[in-house]
């Protein structure tokens, strides 16, 4: 009988189990599901699971709670809980889970996480150094002009 165990089928399944012989497991965000059909007592699945009973793993480039986020991995699917690509590399997206749109047009579309972060850090540092040198140069020139005019 579904949802019951014991010699006389009088004991309900333990928390997190349901179905025939309590053989199926639910992955509800807040533990506890109906011992017969697996429906979560409090709606919502833990990361990596979906479905009414939260017993269906995330697939097809989805991840997170209720599998409602999408990863855009270049060479593989992603981890259902974290969204991290099983094989590193994004396809037109950035971030650990390849789920953030790129901010700069024309950026390389297939890039690994470490390379992407290094590139942006180097660009930002380069702009800061060039800007600082330009400001110092302008200040020196203005100072020289003022000194010569006196």
């Amino acid at each position: 009988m579904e949802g019951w165990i014991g010699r006389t089928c009088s004991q309900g399944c333990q928390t997190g189990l349901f179905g025939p012989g309590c053989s199926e497991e639910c992955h509800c965000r807040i533990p506890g599901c109906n011992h017969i059909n697996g429906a979560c007592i409090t709606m919502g699945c833990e990361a990596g699971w979906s479905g009414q009973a939260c017993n269906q793993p995330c697939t097809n480039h989805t991840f997170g709670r209720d599998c409602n986020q999408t990863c855009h991995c270049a060479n593989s699917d992603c981890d259902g809980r974290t969204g991290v690509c099983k094989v590193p590399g994004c396809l037109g997206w950035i971030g650990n889970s390849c789920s953030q749109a790129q901010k700069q047009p024309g950026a390389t579309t297939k890039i690994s996480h470490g390379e992407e972060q290094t590139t942006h850090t180097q660009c930002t540092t380069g702009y800061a150094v060039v800007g600082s040198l330009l400001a110092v140069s302008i200040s020196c020139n203005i100072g020289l002009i003022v000194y010569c005019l006196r």
Side-chain angles (χ1 to χ4, degrees):
M1 180 179 249
E2 289 194 26
W4 301 94
I5 56 172
R7 284 186 8 204
T8 60
C9 294
S10 59
Q11 298 174 341
C13 299
Q14 294 178 354
T15 300
L17 299 176
F18 72 98
C22 301
S23 60
E24 297 188 50
E25 186 175 359
C26 60
H27 297 274
C28 303
R29 185 172 41 96
I30 297 174
C33 61
N34 180 292
H35 64 102
I36 297 171
N37 64 15
C40 293
I41 294 169
T42 303
M43 295 302 294
C45 302
E46 65 183 36
W49 299 92
S50 67
Q52 181 182 6
C54 297
N55 62 340
Q56 299 168 5
C58 296
T59 57
N60 298 325
H61 301 284
T62 60
F63 71 99
R65 287 186 180 165
D66 301 311
C67 302
N68 63 2
Q69 294 179 298
T70 303
C71 60
H72 300 275
C73 301
N75 301 307
S76 69
D77 200 358
C78 58
D79 181 271
R81 282 183 263 146
T82 63
V84 173
C85 298
K86 293 178 181 175
V87 175
C90 301
L91 186 60
W93 297 75
I94 59 173
N96 289 335
S97 61
C98 299
S99 61
Q100 300 169 2
Q102 286 188 3
K103 294 178 183 165
Q104 296 180 356
T108 305
T109 56
K110 187 174 181 182
I111 195 163
S112 72
H113 305 302
E115 291 171 319
E116 181 268 325
Q117 286 182 327
T118 303
T119 301
H120 287 296
T121 302
Q122 288 173 346
C123 288
T124 303
T125 303
Y127 287 132
V129 169
V130 169
S132 297
L133 289 174
L134 187 59
V136 168
S137 175
I138 291 171
S139 297
C140 287
N141 284 329
I142 291 173
L144 257 164
I145 292 170
V146 169
Y147 178 76
C148 289
L149 292 174
R150 287 187 180 184

